[in-house]
């Protein structure tokens, strides 16, 4: 079902050298070299730039690697679908997401899906939006969610979800009674924020900067779960884009209050898959359920990057 030459070629692309590919595949280096040479003869081009510290795909190699990844994934899909004819509810879904969406949406969505299809298993990888998009582009994840990031080539946007930012304000603070708050008003109270490596922090810093303001959080972290636990314990204002309904929302000890700021109303998340890939049955079913569960008012037009 899978071309040996393409499989060896992709491993060299991934490993950066024939020696490393040989180790990972447990195949002789000479066999890998022969397969690469065979591909280059058939195509009439060099697929790699040979450098002292390794091998880097040429322009032609980049084109072939994109094709090869789709070919391999399609072969896996066909194999999975043939097996699914005997056991329809079997399958494996690989998800990649930024942390907020993973905690607020995906964990519950996976649990809901498995109630209907208990034979389907999942792996959820959490990281930043750039890393998520790269995993989708490389075929290392089936479905990805990113925040405020224009996806790269080779990635299809299945859904655009528009989510204006809310401030989570402890109920005892005067700001909690307002219908909306400004960025300036939040500076009068302790604020906890994601660290500067997070996309949400970039958005928040930009909103403050547009007004000539600088925020000094009492606590920052790259872990959203830790940020929320700290905010609960220390009565800190923090921000979220996970609220599905417009307006003020009761969140237990906090009130989610819309932020009245043009920058903060521009936040969007994208649900991504690899472009031109036919998804396996279980992946397609989970994606359909995820899209159906989105609030209708959140949905934007489906888009695609060529």
């Amino acid at each position: 079902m899978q071309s040996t030459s393409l499989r060896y070629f992709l491993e060299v692309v991934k490993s950066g050298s024939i020696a490393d590919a040989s180790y990972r595949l447990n195949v002789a280096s000479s066999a890998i070299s022969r397969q690469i040479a065979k591909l280059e003869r058939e195509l009439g081009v060099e697929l790699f730039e040979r450098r002292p510290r390794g091998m880097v795909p040429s322009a032609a190699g980049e084109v072939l690697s994109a094709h090869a990844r789709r070919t391999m994934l399609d072969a896996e899909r066909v194999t999975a679908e043939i097996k699914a004819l005997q056991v329809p509810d079997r399958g494996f879904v690989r998800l990649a997401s930024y942390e907020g969406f993973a905690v607020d949406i995906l964990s519950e969505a996976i649990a809901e899906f498995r109630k209907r299809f208990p034979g389907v298993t999942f792996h959820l990888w959490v990281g930043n939006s750039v890393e998520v998009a790269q995993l989708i582009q490389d075929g290392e994840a089936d479905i990805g969610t990113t925040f405020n990031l224009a996806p790269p080539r080779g990635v299809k946007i299945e859904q655009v979800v528009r989510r204006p930012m809310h401030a989570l304000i402890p109920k005892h603070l005067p700001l909690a009674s307002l219908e909306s708050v400004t960025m300036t008003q939040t500076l009068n109270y302790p604020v906890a924020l994601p660290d500067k490596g997070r996309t949400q922090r970039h958005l928040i810093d930009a909103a403050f900067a547009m007004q000539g303001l600088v925020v000094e959080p009492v606590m920052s972290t790259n872990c959203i779960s830790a940020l929320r636990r700290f905010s609960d314990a220390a009565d800190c204002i923090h921000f979220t884009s996970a609220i599905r309904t417009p307006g003020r929302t009761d969140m237990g000890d906090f009130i989610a209050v819309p932020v009245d700021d043009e920058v903060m109303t521009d936040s969007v998340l994208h649900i991504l898959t690899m472009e031109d890939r036919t998804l396996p049955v279980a992946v397609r079913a989970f994606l359909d359920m995820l899209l159906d569960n989105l609030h209708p008012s959140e949905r934007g037009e489906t888009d695609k990057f060529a």
Side-chain angles (χ1 to χ4, degrees):
M1 293 292 290
Q2 298 182 0
S3 163
T4 299
S5 57
L6 286 181
R7 186 160 57 89
Y8 289 2
F9 165 75
L10 276 181
E11 192 57 52
V12 175
V13 171
K14 184 175 181 180
S15 302
S17 74
I18 288 177
D20 287 347
S22 171
Y23 177 79
R24 292 168 67 95
L25 292 169
N26 195 26
V27 174
S29 296
S30 58
I32 296 175
S33 296
R34 284 196 299 272
Q35 293 295 333
I36 299 296
K38 175 185 173 184
L39 281 174
E40 291 180 326
R41 286 196 305 272
E42 290 175 351
L43 295 172
V45 295
E46 290 192 356
L47 296 174
F48 292 95
E49 297 176 10
R50 274 76 172 177
R51 299 180 181 178
R53 295 188 177 181
M55 299 173 66
V56 177
S58 64
E62 292 285 2
V63 172
L64 181 61
S65 66
H67 163 76
R69 288 188 184 101
R70 284 193 291 270
T71 299
M72 296 300 187
L73 289 168
D74 282 342
E76 292 175 6
R77 175 185 59 81
V78 170
T79 302
E81 289 185 356
I82 290 173
K83 291 179 179 179
L85 294 175
Q86 299 176 350
V87 188
D89 67 341
R90 297 285 178 184
F92 180 55
V93 182
R94 301 169 302 166
L95 305 174
S97 176
Y98 67 94
E99 188 178 3
F101 194 81
V103 172
D104 295 322
I105 305 297
L106 285 179
S107 297
E108 291 185 7
I110 293 169
E112 179 183 343
F113 188 84
R114 279 186 40 80
K115 289 177 183 176
R116 297 167 54 193
F117 303 104
V120 177
T121 57
F122 289 80
H123 178 262
L124 172 57
W125 184 91
V126 175
N128 67 47
S129 293
V130 174
E131 294 168 326
V132 169
Q134 187 66 53
L135 288 174
I136 295 296
Q137 186 182 43
D138 292 345
E140 298 293 330
D142 302 310
I143 301 169
T145 59
T146 60
F147 181 75
N148 271 29
L149 176 76
R153 291 180 180 275
V155 171
K156 177 183 178 183
I157 301 177
E158 295 282 352
Q159 193 69 66
V160 177
V161 183
R162 305 192 182 280
R163 290 233 178 124
M165 197 74 72
H166 285 66
L168 290 173
I169 302 172
K171 283 185 173 179
H172 63 82
L173 296 183
L175 292 185
S177 63
L178 302 179
E179 293 300 318
S180 65
V181 296
T182 65
M183 301 302 287
T184 303
Q185 287 172 313
T186 65
L187 286 180
N188 295 322
Y189 303 93
V191 175
L193 297 177
D195 68 18
K196 291 183 179 293
R198 290 282 179 170
T199 311
Q200 188 192 82
R201 177 63 179 272
H202 298 168
L203 187 71
I204 293 169
D205 284 348
F208 279 115
M210 288 289 287
Q211 300 179 40
L213 303 171
V214 177
V215 61
E216 293 293 342
V218 297
M219 188 264 204
S220 63
T221 175
N222 68 338
C223 177
I224 300 302
S225 300
L227 184 147
R228 293 179 181 177
R229 290 292 296 272
F230 172 80
S231 297
D232 289 345
D235 280 346
C236 277
I237 292 176
H238 55 299
F239 296 91
T240 182
S241 61
I243 306 301
R244 299 189 182 198
T245 54
R248 296 173 73 253
T249 303
D250 192 318
M251 302 287 290
D253 292 332
F254 291 82
I255 299 293
V257 181
V259 178
D260 183 13
D261 184 278
E262 185 175 345
V263 174
M264 297 285 268
T265 59
D266 256 350
S267 63
V268 297
L269 69 88
H270 293 135
I271 298 178
L272 310 175
T273 58
M274 176 186 274
E275 187 178 37
D276 296 331
R277 179 190 175 196
T278 302
L279 297 176
V281 173
V283 174
R284 182 77 249 177
F286 180 78
L287 177 61
D288 288 343
M289 186 201 77
L290 186 64
L291 298 181
D292 286 343
N293 283 351
L294 293 175
H295 193 281
S297 66
E298 295 176 317
R299 294 190 176 197
E301 293 184 1
T302 300
D303 193 6
K304 183 167 128 175
F305 278 65

